[in-house]
């Protein structure tokens, strides 16, 4: 068993990559948006990369990551994490037996400890250099508390 947390996910979402993921998914649909792709991309860039904030009386531009409190934060973070799951987790040779994720917290169960350590951790750490992932190997117990839900194992 393994759990991990993506530290400060919203402020570390790689915006350029996440916007491209959005565009690729939207324009691959049978009925894509009527807006030209470049127009939608510029709108998303404007909505995410033109954020300003004040700290200690100084104005700053937030150039990457989603601004705290932005209504786009949860959506873009989830899109980024879903894409990660599609590309890295579900295509991994040693897929987890169980994979539960809530925003940036994930609980996984692998067939053995080596699968979890050798495959998933390496992929997570090297997949995104800017994303800090905190791992915790969990000792076997018959009952687990995960996201305020009680699950019996076995």
């Amino acid at each position: 068993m393994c759990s991990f947390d993506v530290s400060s996910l919203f402020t570390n979402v790689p915006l350029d990559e996440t916007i491209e993921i959005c565009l690729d998914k939207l324009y691959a649909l049978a009925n894509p948006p009527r807006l030209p792709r470049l127009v939608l991309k510029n709108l998303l860039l404007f909505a995410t990369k033109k954020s300003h904030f004040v700290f200690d009386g100084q104005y700053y531009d937030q150039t990457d990551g989603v601004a705290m409190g932005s209504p786009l934060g949860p959506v873009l973070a989830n899109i980024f994490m879903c894409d990660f799951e599609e590309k890295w987790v579900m295509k991994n040779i040693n897929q987890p037996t169980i994979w539960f994720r809530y925003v940036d917290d994930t609980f996984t169960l692998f067939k053995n400890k080596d699968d979890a350590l050798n495959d998933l951790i390496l992929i997570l750490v090297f997949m995104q250099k800017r994303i800090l992932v905190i791992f915790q190997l969990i000792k076997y117990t018959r009952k687990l508390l995960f996201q305020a839900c009680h699950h019996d194992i076995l």
Side-chain angles (χ1 to χ4, degrees), residues 1-148:
M1 288 179 258
C2 177
S3 71
F4 61 89
D5 175 68
V6 178
S7 181
S8 303
L9 175 63
F10 286 17
T11 57
N12 287 307
V13 169
L15 287 176
D16 292 324
E17 179 182 346
T18 305
I19 288 170
E20 286 300 321
I21 293 166
C22 293
L23 296 170
D24 291 345
K25 298 281 186 191
L26 284 170
Y27 288 95
L29 295 172
N31 294 316
R34 291 184 180 173
L35 279 174
R37 182 181 172 114
L38 185 59
V39 172
L40 184 55
K41 179 178 182 173
N42 287 334
L43 287 171
L44 288 170
L45 288 170
F46 181 79
T48 56
K49 289 203 165 193
K50 299 296 182 187
S51 297
H52 311 290
F53 62 93
V54 177
F55 177 73
D56 200 21
Q58 296 263 353
Y59 284 89
Y60 295 90
D61 290 333
Q62 181 158 345
T63 57
D64 207 7
V66 183
M68 293 303 297
S70 167
L72 291 174
V75 175
L76 293 175
N78 195 47
I79 289 169
F80 175 74
M81 292 298 290
C82 286
D83 184 70
F84 160 73
E85 289 172 341
E86 286 176 16
K87 286 181 181 171
W88 297 96
V89 178
M90 298 309 148
K91 292 181 181 178
N92 189 8
I93 293 170
N94 297 314
Q95 289 184 0
T97 306
I98 294 175
W99 178 276
F100 292 118
R101 180 179 61 86
Y102 181 76
V103 187
D104 65 342
D105 297 308
T106 305
F107 170 79
T108 60
L109 180 64
F110 288 87
K111 291 179 184 175
N112 62 59
K113 185 177 173 182
D114 291 336
D115 286 351
L117 291 173
N118 295 333
D119 294 327
L120 185 65
I121 292 176
L122 288 174
I123 289 170
L124 288 170
V125 170
F126 293 110
M127 192 267 307
Q128 279 294 331
K129 293 177 183 174
R130 292 185 43 231
I131 301 292
L132 174 63
V133 180
I134 300 168
F135 297 96
Q136 179 180 7
L137 291 176
I138 303 169
K139 291 185 179 180
Y140 174 79
T141 60
R142 291 189 63 80
K143 295 183 181 190
L144 296 172
L145 187 65
F146 179 71
Q147 297 301 329

